[in-house]
């Protein structure tokens, strides 16, 4: 028994060292720096009391949640479709869809500008049609679009892998019991894809919370936390506030993901 | 429980060619009476599942084919509107629902009030003797329990026909026997039209009012189990169902002469050159009993209630003979044989 425990500790050691070196220690350091400024721990309170910080926190979370939901809906539908219908060029299309995975945030931002910027496609078309130039690249909407564009490929791939494992007999059984195609989606396909939705959604959410390059490219006006952190750190040299904001950003993301995981974990386990 | 209104099913000219060019079914005509249990029997790949799926509405027959329920053409009606219950080999229970939720699913779809659903689910649980499992998750059930839940789920909605695709194949032998008996009792008490697909001839014999033997996408024979067994229509059916012995020879003056000797057979047709018969229609003669057929024991297997003998008679295959005699048979022993001419089949 003792030897078992010893061996277990030995096996856990490398992971433990890594975890400490690259996660625990930096996070603790960050947390301490956040409280080491001239205002002390009040820096953390400022995130809630200072309207600017608080609004940017809300905006960040809002964009991330919306991005996650929209990405999951689009990728869920396309992923299942691409998995189920093997047409000519299916493989090439899937390969092409994975293109944006390699792009840095700057490129994504640039593409949003080309689409919805002042000289963009949407502006040109809308001007020709309704005489009004629609421009939304330099706002939260543009940022949201960039994140969705960036998150879709990865999510589609995850959904496709999961859709392949769905048992078609379950759908046939549901239909034999009178379920319409819509009910089949609701009662069989979505529950079957739930684990994939959770993991892909978590990555999507975390990416949208932390992505910086896209926001930076689009405008300095966009008030999301990564941008605020950047401004505090480089322009205002307010290292304490930057550290406090970083820590909170990390912690909030972690909490949201943990909540999603337990909420789903319970039902996923119950579903077997 | 006879609250089910059974229907007749007919297939007219139903062929099936899959998108990849596989010809799974030749044009097929079939009539199934209301309340009847019909078994589709045949080796793997002969088209049983395809036929069942055409009836269910999961596959469409090739152009020109039609499916009739109670005389009404339902070929274009999707499965969700056909009101047929399905039971699969893999159970296909919803993993995100409890046992009770699985059984009540079809009722919920039909917008039955919750209280009535509960009552009906309770009835089903009681009928399948799985009341204790009502709140279990599917992954907490054994194979036999899963199949009971699957049956209950299919029957709960009072379907007009029950379609079962190899429901017992995934279970071990002992459980298979128990559940086979339960399914038999169930189908008879419900008086439901049922189609049961299997490759197991013992299952087919036990359950079917009629058996449809299939071979390479064609119907080889349709008939009651006894007819199929005693009067097989082709060599394929004869070999697929039960064990068949064969002897080659010629008939002269009411005697069939083969390498094993002479078989007196007054009703012999003059042109019979090969006769077939079942193991139960041949026996080893007693000591001192005159016999005109002789063979040499190639192997003997003591099975407890009887001994299965393989007797070499100079044919391609040794004869299979079963003996209930209380004696030992030794390898190489010469024995006399007697065949009951009433069991002889000529094809
Ligand atoms: N979806 C399909 N696409 C192509 N061929 C198929 C398909 N389903 C079945 N088949 C083929 O059709 C034939 C009959 O299959 P099936 O009806 O499943 O046989 P059985 O149930 O008697 O084992 C087989 O040769 C099988 O490979
Ligand atoms: Mg089959």
């Amino acid at each position: 028994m003792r030897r078992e425990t010893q061996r277990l500790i030995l096996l856990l050691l490398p992971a433990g060292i890594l975890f400490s070196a690259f996660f625990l220690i930096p996070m603790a350091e960050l947390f301490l720096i956040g409280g080491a400024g001239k205002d002390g721990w009040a820096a953390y309170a400022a995130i809630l009391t200072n309207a600017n910080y608080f609004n940017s926190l809300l905006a960040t979370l809002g964009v991330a949640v919306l991005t996650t939901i929209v990405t999951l809906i689009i990728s869920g539908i396309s992923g299942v479709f691409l998995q189920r219908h093997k047409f000519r060029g299916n493989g090439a299309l899937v390969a092409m869809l994975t293109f944006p995975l390699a792009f840095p945030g700057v490129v994504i931002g640039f593409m949003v500008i080309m689409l919805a910027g002042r000289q963009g496609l949407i502006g040109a078309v809308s001007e020709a049609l309704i005489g009004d130039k629609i421009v939304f690249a330099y706002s939260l909407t543009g940022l949201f679009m960039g994140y969705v564009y960036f998150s879709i490929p990865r999510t589609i791939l995850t959904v496709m892998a999961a859709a392949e494992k769905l048992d078609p007999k379950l759908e046939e059984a549901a239909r034999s019991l009178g379920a319409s195609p819509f009910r089949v989606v609701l009662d069989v396909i979505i529950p079957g894809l739930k684990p994939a939705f959770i993991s892909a959604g978590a990555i999507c959410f975390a990416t949208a919370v932390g992505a910086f390059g896209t926001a930076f490219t689009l405008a300095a006006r966009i008030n999301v936390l990564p941008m605020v952190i950047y401004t505090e750190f480089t322009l205002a040299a307010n290292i304490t506030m930057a550290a406090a904001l970083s820590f909170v950003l990390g912690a909030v993301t972690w909490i949201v993901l943990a909540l999603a995981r337990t909420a789903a974990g319970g039902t996923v386990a119950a579903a077997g | 429980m006879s609250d089910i209104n059974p229907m007749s099913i007919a297939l007219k000219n139903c062929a099936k060619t899959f998108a990849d060019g596989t010809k799974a079914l030749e044009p097929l005509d079939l009539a199934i009476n209301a309340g009847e249990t019909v078994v589709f029997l045949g080796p793997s790949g002969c088209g049983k599942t395809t036929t069942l799926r055409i009836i269910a509405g999961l596959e469409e027959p090739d152009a020109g084919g039609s499916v009739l329920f109670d005389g009404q053409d339902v070929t274009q009606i999707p499965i969700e509107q056909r009101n047929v219950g399905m039971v699969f080999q893999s159970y296909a229970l919803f993993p995100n629902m409890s046992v009770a939720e699985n059984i009540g699913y079809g009722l919920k779809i039909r917008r039955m009030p919750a209280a009535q659903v509960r009552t009906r689910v309770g009835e089903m649980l009681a009928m399948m003797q799985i009341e204790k499992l009502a709140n279990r998750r599917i992954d907490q059930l054994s194979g036999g329990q899963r199949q009971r839940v699957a049956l209950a789920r299919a029957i709960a909605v009072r379907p007009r026909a029950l379609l079962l695709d190899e429901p017992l194949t995934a279970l071990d032998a002992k459980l298979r026997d128990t559940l086979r008996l339960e399914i038999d009792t169930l189908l008879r008490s419900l008086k439901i039209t049922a189609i049961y697909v299997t490759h197991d001839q013992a299952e087919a014999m036990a359950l079917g009012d009629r058996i449809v033997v299939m071979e390479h996408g064609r119907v080889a024979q349709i008939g009651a189990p006894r007819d199929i067994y005693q009067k097989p229509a082709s060599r394929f059916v004869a070999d697929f169902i039960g064990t068949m012995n064969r002897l080659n020879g010629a008939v002269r003056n009411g005697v069939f002469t083969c390498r094993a000797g002479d078989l007196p057979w007054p009703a012999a047709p003059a042109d019979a050159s090969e006769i077939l018969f079942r193991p139960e229609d041949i026996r080893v003669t007693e000591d001192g009993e005159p016999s005109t057929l002789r063979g040499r024991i190639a192997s003997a297997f003591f099975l407890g209630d009887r001994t299965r003998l393989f007797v070499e008679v100079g044919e391609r295959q040794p004869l299979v003979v079963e003996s209930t005699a209380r004696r030992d048979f030794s390898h190489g022993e010469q024995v006399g044989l007697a065949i009951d001419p009433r069991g002889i089949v000529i094809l």
Side-chain angles (χ1 to χ4, degrees):
Chain A
M1 204 57 212
R2 282 267 312 276
R3 288 195 41 189
E4 277 289 299
T5 319
Q6 275 175 6
R7 193 154 55 190
L8 208 65
I9 290 173
L10 212 63
L11 284 172
L12 279 174
L13 208 57
I17 291 173
L18 226 73
F19 185 63
S20 310
F22 292 100
F23 184 75
L24 279 187
I25 296 173
M27 276 305 273
E29 185 83 18
L30 204 60
F31 180 67
L32 292 177
I33 294 176
K38 58 178 167 30
D39 299 331
W41 298 109
Y44 285 98
I47 297 172
L48 293 180
T49 52
N50 180 318
N52 185 28
Y53 296 147
F54 189 65
N55 285 342
S56 69
L57 177 64
L58 286 187
T60 308
L61 294 178
V63 169
V65 167
L66 210 61
T67 302
T68 308
I69 293 172
V70 171
T71 303
L72 287 183
I73 292 173
I74 295 176
S75 312
I77 295 170
S78 337
V80 173
F81 178 85
L82 286 172
Q83 172 59 37
R84 295 275 165 101
H85 302 271
K86 296 294 177 201
F87 45 87
R88 273 175 64 97
N90 181 300
L93 184 63
V94 172
M96 238 165 64
L97 274 172
T98 57
F99 236 71
L101 278 179
F103 291 155
V106 184
V107 178
I108 308 278
F110 183 58
M111 291 173 100
V112 173
I113 290 174
M114 286 199 297
L115 191 66
R118 273 179 287 276
Q119 313 297 327
L121 184 69
I122 294 178
V125 170
S126 66
E127 190 166 35
L129 287 180
I130 56 174
D132 215 358
K133 198 170 196 172
I134 297 178
V135 174
F136 57 82
Y138 317 102
S139 64
L140 280 178
T141 317
L143 191 64
F144 159 75
M145 218 172 76
Y147 287 166
V148 169
Y149 173 71
F150 180 69
S151 303
I152 281 177
R154 194 188 341 237
T155 315
I156 284 190
L157 292 184
T158 312
V159 169
M160 282 181 71
E164 195 180 356
K165 295 207 184 70
L166 289 177
D167 179 2
K169 292 271 179 293
L170 286 183
E171 290 162 45
E172 293 175 354
R175 293 182 62 197
S176 76
L177 291 164
S180 63
F182 178 68
R183 283 307 296 252
V184 171
V185 170
L186 221 59
D187 296 333
V188 178
I189 297 182
I190 291 180
L193 292 178
K194 201 161 155 190
F197 281 154
I198 304 278
S199 62
I203 290 174
C204 179
F205 178 81
T207 313
V209 163
F212 170 70
T214 313
F216 194 66
T217 312
L218 289 179
R221 227 183 63 208
I222 294 182
N223 191 14
V224 288
L225 264 191
M227 287 292 285
V228 176
I229 293 171
Y230 174 80
T231 328
E232 293 292 336
F233 188 66
T234 55
L235 304 180
N238 189 351
I239 295 174
T240 319
M241 201 58 226
L245 285 170
S246 305
F247 183 83
V248 169
L249 185 66
V252 168
T253 308
W254 181 79
I255 290 169
V256 171
L257 294 187
L259 283 179
R261 217 161 258 285
T262 31
T267 42
V268 168
Chain B
M1 276 296 150
S2 56
D3 52 359
I4 282 169
N5 174 23
M7 65 173 175
S8 68
I9 299 173
L11 293 182
K12 290 224 162 27
N13 196 32
C14 280
K16 182 68 191 178
T17 313
F18 282 106
D20 65 355
T22 310
K23 196 139 183 54
L25 275 188
E26 303 291 331
L28 178 87
D29 288 289
L30 193 63
I32 295 164
N33 304 321
E36 185 183 30
T37 300
V38 167
V39 176
F40 292 172
L41 174 67
S44 172
C46 70
K48 308 180 294 289
T49 297
T50 305
T51 313
L52 195 76
R53 289 171 65 85
I54 288 177
I55 294 172
L58 288 169
E59 303 282 359
E60 227 184 303
D62 292 351
S66 55
V67 181
L68 308 180
F69 285 0
D70 272 345
Q72 269 193 323
D73 192 328
V74 295
T75 319
Q76 299 305 322
I77 294 180
I79 177 170
E80 56 265 31
Q81 288 160 31
R82 288 197 189 185
N83 198 13
V84 291
M86 289 206 79
V87 177
F88 301 90
Q89 179 182 335
S90 58
Y91 322 120
L93 297 172
F94 307 124
N96 50 321
M97 301 179 199
S98 70
V99 166
E101 285 167 340
N102 263 281
I103 298 176
Y105 182 75
L107 304 170
K108 205 179 87 187
I109 290 286
R110 285 164 173 71
R111 301 181 187 288
M112 186 187 264
Q116 271 170 270
V117 172
R118 255 196 311 280
T119 313
R120 180 69 178 161
V121 169
E123 272 172 39
M124 290 296 115
L125 289 166
M127 186 175 78
M128 299 311 298
Q129 296 164 25
I130 47 174
E131 292 103 321
K132 288 203 185 71
L133 306 178
N135 297 313
R136 287 268 189 97
R137 297 203 320 250
I138 300 308
D139 62 357
Q140 296 170 321
L141 304 181
S142 70
Q145 291 170 334
R146 283 179 205 211
Q147 204 51 290
R148 286 193 178 89
V149 176
L151 276 162
R153 180 181 68 176
I155 294 166
V157 297
R158 300 183 171 87
R160 300 180 65 204
L162 194 57
L163 311 178
L164 308 102
D165 194 355
E166 311 230 11
L168 304 181
T169 304
L171 304 173
D172 59 62
K174 202 161 176 183
L175 198 56
R176 211 154 51 217
D177 286 346
T178 322
L179 257 176
R180 184 174 76 192
L181 198 68
E182 280 183 35
I183 290 180
D184 189 45
T185 316
L186 187 70
L187 295 180
R188 300 209 181 278
S189 69
L190 290 174
K191 299 188 173 60
I192 190 173
T193 310
I195 303 178
Y196 189 104
V197 165
T198 182
H199 64 269
D200 180 324
Q201 45 128 344
E203 237 169 79
M205 292 284 180
L207 286 171
D209 293 325
R210 284 194 300 157
I211 297 176
V212 177
V213 186
M214 296 183 67
E215 177 192 14
H216 295 315
R218 280 195 192 84
V219 172
Q221 187 173 3
I222 303 180
R226 185 174 295 277
D227 291 338
I228 299 235
Y229 187 78
Q230 291 176 343
K231 295 184 212 108
S234 67
R235 278 156 197 276
F236 170 79
V237 177
D239 286 329
F240 190 73
I241 291 164
T243 308
M244 203 48 120
N245 288 312
R246 40 187 87 211
L247 287 173
N248 287 291
V251 174
R252 196 175 306 130
N253 304 328
V255 174
F256 181 80
T257 307
C258 59
R259 289 209 187 90
D262 293 335
L263 166 67
W265 183 19
D271 59 347
S273 62
E274 184 189 47
I275 62 169
L276 289 79
F277 52 92
R278 300 283 183 190
E280 56 269 29
D281 291 317
I282 182 170
R283 62 184 176 84
V284 175
T285 53
E286 316 265 325
D287 283 343
E289 182 185 346
S291 69
T292 51
L293 290 169
R294 299 198 67 76
R296 188 178 56 81
I297 293 179
S299 40
F301 299 96
F302 179 59
L303 301 174
D305 55 342
R306 66 214 142 94
T307 308
R308 172 166 288 194
L309 305 169
F310 289 83
V311 181
E312 198 59 65
V313 288
E315 300 278 340
R316 260 206 334 216
Q317 297 279 335
L319 300 181
V320 179
V321 183
E322 296 196 330
S323 168
T324 51
R326 294 171 178 278
R327 56 164 282 202
D328 277 334
F329 293 94
S330 52
H331 182 84
E333 183 185 339
Q334 290 284 335
V335 288
L337 300 166
I339 295 173
D340 183 347
R342 285 171 305 179
I344 293 175
V345 176
I346 298 166
L347 289 172

